[in-house]
Amino acid sequence: MLTNFRTGFFGACCWLFAGCATTPQTTLYDKLGGESGIHNIVENLVQEIGRDEQVFHYFAQSRVSRFKENLIEHFCAISDGPCQYTGDNMVDIHTGMNINERDFNHLVDLLINAMDDEGIPHRIQNQLIARLAPLREEIIYR
Amino acid sequence: MRHILLLLTLSLVSQLHAADGKLLATPGISQIEGAGGGGFVPWAQLAGYGSRDEIAANVFCSGANVDDYDLHVCGAQATFYDRVEFSVAKQKFHVDALNLNIKQRVLGVKARLYGDIVYSRFPQISLGIQHKKLDDPTVAYLLGADEDSGTDVYLAASKLHLGAIGGYNWLWNITARSTEANQTGLLGFGNAEHGNQREIVLEASTAILFGRHLALGVEYRQKPDNLGLKEDDWSNVFVAWFPNKVISLTAAWLDLGEIAGAKNQQGAYFSVTGYF
Ligand code: HEM
């Protein structure tokens, strides 16, 4: 009797949880349009930087293809997508650039433009920016 | 006043470009005593868009029109390296019943002690003072005020939470102010019979940013009642529009309660700030 009860009880639980599990949780990665969405955002961002007088100089010597690849991977990982960021850490990458607050915020504005062009809604944009914001300390004035 | 304005203009001209290092809307607007803030409440943010490497200068004018009174304020702020803000404001308070103007001048300084409203883990904290002086204290003295000038000291904390409410950015600010001002100083300071009546009042603002350009919020400002005239706390509901980093326009509905015997003072408020 007890065993039956337990089977029934756990059975019900499994069924409940299975019900949840079959509705896949949407990650921020999905909301950003998944692989193609993030690819396009980074592509747009690179275009924005290329046209920008204020921050282009930082990137003048960069290898665009590697930058894109690593940034896509970084955005994918930070938005809970199916990626692991394999690049260098934020401090090492940005050391020697002496990026100031103003230029950091300007890049945020360019990222917003890039997301606007990809049709990412304002509320989703904020969620990506919220995840990037804590990294600022590792990036500016280094 | 004139010298300070001249200084501001000079610092303006000497700037090659307007300060634009903060994110849109994050510095807020100009409060009635001249500090960077909301409408009533001085915020922890320093006025204008100057980041740690910039100087910012701003000018503003605000007008409030409630049932039996009008308030007109114009002023300016200069903010240095997102560390210290200097402000001046000239207030003209029109009393309909007496058909006279009460004028007050406010000089302010605010220093950022910690943090960044957007990026630091804990809220941004600033400490400020506002020194106020009435041009003509006749009305204040008639109502029983002790002084025609006074100094407020305040500590403010504020934070913008990115994507916090349904994906929208959410701002809050709390300010504790030590003051002896009656109706922010327009009716003088303290009580002639009881002398110095310094006390600590709390003020708060909160807003949600619907998009990059639009903020909707409310404010509350606790007030002392030194004169025994049933001075009420103030509140407002505001909408602020930030089309760019050069100008902001704000409209609000004010509820100022009882002012010197006139009950239930409500009305509209408009404010414009220009950022350089
Ligand atoms: C939270 C914000 C930021 C994040 C998450 C971020 C992330 C990254 C990543 C993942 C890379 C690729 C590294 C690689 O090429 O291996 C990178 C490279 C780079 N970043 Fe950032 N970055 C941020 C902000 C900034 C800002 C504000 C600037 C300048 C204004 C900047 C300038 C650069 C430059 C110039 C490179 C290329 C370095 C190279 O060519 O080796 N970054 N960043």
Side-chain angles (χ1 to χ4, degrees), chain B residues 70-89:
Chain B
D70 293 337
L71 178 67
H72 291 274
V73 193
C74 285
Q77 307 108 3
T79 299
F80 295 86
Y81 311 113
D82 200 27
R83 178 55 70 188
V84 59
E85 167 198 298
F86 297 93
S87 61
V88 290

Side-chain angles (χ1 to χ4, degrees), chain A residues 55 58-63 66-67 70-71 74-75 78 85 87-88 90 93-94 97 99-100 103-105 107-108 132-133 135-136 139-140:
Chain A
V55 297
Y58 290 106
F59 297 86
Q61 309 295 326
S62 301
R63 248 182 55 211
R66 191 196 56 190
F67 173 72
N70 286 345
L71 195 60
H74 186 270
F75 281 3
I78 210 168
Y85 177 61
D88 292 337
M90 290 300 117
I93 293 169
H94 301 95
M97 295 186 194
I99 298 166
N100 61 30
D103 289 343
F104 187 97
N105 280 338
L107 206 68
V108 173
L132 298 173
L135 302 175
R136 188 181 80 142
I139 292 169
I140 58 173

Side-chain angles (χ1 to χ4, degrees), chain B residues 11-220:
Chain B
S11 77
L12 246 174
V13 173
S14 65
Q15 292 260 125
L16 285 177
H17 58 79
D20 62 359
K22 293 182 189 168
L23 294 174
L24 187 63
T26 58
I29 63 166
S30 309
Q31 55 97 233
I32 49 166
E33 289 142 318
F40 298 156
V41 183
W43 289 353
Q45 295 97 300
L46 304 193
Y49 285 96
S51 62
R52 260 185 250 178
D53 306 288
E54 295 171 283
I55 298 172
N58 320 294
V59 290
F60 75 95
C61 282
S62 308
N65 186 343
V66 295
D67 298 85
D68 297 298
Y69 306 94
D70 293 337
L71 178 67
H72 291 274
V73 193
C74 285
Q77 307 108 3
T79 299
F80 295 86
Y81 311 113
D82 200 27
R83 178 55 70 188
V84 59
E85 167 198 298
F86 297 93
S87 61
V88 290
K90 242 187 138 165
Q91 302 175 329
K92 197 173 82 183
F93 184 63
H94 185 77
V95 182
D96 295 356
L98 305 172
N99 193 27
L100 61 74
N101 289 317
I102 298 175
K103 291 178 188 160
Q104 180 174 243
R105 215 172 288 187
V106 187
L107 295 178
V109 183
K110 173 165 55 175
R112 183 175 64 83
L113 302 182
Y114 165 83
D116 179 286
I117 184 194
V118 181
Y119 293 105
S120 57
R121 180 143 163 242
F122 301 108
Q124 178 168 336
I125 309 280
S126 295
L127 182 69
I129 60 174
Q130 294 180 330
H131 182 72
K132 308 172 179 185
K133 178 137 185 22
L134 286 170
D135 267 14
D136 175 357
T138 311
V139 177
Y141 287 162
L142 270 175
L143 293 172
D146 188 36
E147 299 276 350
D148 66 349
S149 72
T151 303
D152 292 355
V153 181
Y154 62 90
L155 190 68
S158 68
K159 180 96 187 105
L160 183 85
H161 298 273
L162 293 163
I165 295 186
Y168 294 107
N169 294 342
W170 172 48
L171 169 95
W172 60 262
N173 177 89
I174 290 181
T175 300
R177 180 197 298 258
S178 161
T179 183
E180 44 182 342
N182 310 320
Q183 297 291 1
T184 76
L186 293 165
L187 303 184
F189 302 81
N191 176 312
E193 276 170 41
H194 306 113
N196 188 323
Q197 299 235 306
R198 187 165 286 280
E199 63 182 279
I200 291 178
V201 288
L202 289 179
E203 307 175 8
S205 314
T206 186
I208 295 183
L209 284 90
F210 291 97
R212 306 278 159 220
H213 302 280
L214 200 71
L216 238 74
V218 294
E219 288 193 305
Y220 194 85

Side-chain angles (χ1 to χ4, degrees), chain B residues 220-235:
Chain B
Y220 194 85
R221 178 164 171 171
Q222 218 180 23
K223 313 249 302 318
D225 183 21
N226 299 329
L227 298 176
L229 290 173
K230 300 206 185 86
E231 179 167 343
D232 279 320
D233 295 350
W234 284 358
S235 63

